[in-house]
Amino acid sequence: TGHDLLDLLYHLLDEFLYMFSTEMHICRCIEILAFDEQKFSISARGYGEKMDLKKHEQGTEIKAITMHMMKILDPTSMLTEEGKQMRQEDDTAMSEFPYEVYVLLDI
């Protein structure tokens, strides 16, 4: 849960990072089981496998999810820490991906 959509996204990503850090579980697909945009709650399941160095390349470790400059874009608007605003004409959504999120990671 969160107090707004940005906080909800932060907590969701942080849970998956915690799962990787403690169980070495790598998600290749995430299924949203329940999403309540009014109460800012989400339930999700990650599908994947345990990390295996013989199979998975080890890259830079992600230490934390950050809220800094986080934004959620839908086809017409953008939500940031400063609030919700209309998307600019030159910032149109890609047709195959009308929803986007931007998150900075601490490495």
Side-chain angles (χ1 to χ4, degrees), residues 54 75 97 103 105:
K54 294 176 189 161
F97 301 108
V103 180
L105 305 171

Side-chain angles (χ1 to χ4, degrees), residues 4-80:
D4 62 20
L5 285 177
L6 292 173
D7 192 52
L8 183 62
L9 175 61
Y10 168 84
H11 286 291
L12 176 67
L13 294 174
D14 195 51
E15 280 294 317
F16 280 106
L17 179 58
Y18 177 79
M19 187 169 45
F20 174 74
S21 298
T22 58
E23 301 173 22
M24 299 301 289
H25 182 79
I26 302 171
C27 296
R28 62 174 167 73
C29 177
I30 296 173
E31 177 184 14
I32 304 299
L33 303 172
F35 178 50
D36 188 331
E37 198 170 339
Q38 306 305 315
K39 294 181 181 177
F40 304 117
S41 69
I42 192 166
S43 177
R45 177 180 294 138
Y47 297 95
E49 59 192 349
K50 284 207 175 264
M51 183 167 178
D52 178 357
L53 291 176
K54 294 176 189 161
K55 186 176 182 180
H56 304 106
E57 183 177 326
Q58 187 174 8
T60 304
E61 179 184 358
I62 297 171
K63 294 179 185 173
I65 308 298
T66 71
M67 293 286 293
H68 181 67
M69 296 179 62
M70 183 181 282
K71 58 184 172 179
I72 300 173
L73 292 88
D74 67 26
T76 59
S77 64
M78 175 174 62
L79 178 64
T80 67

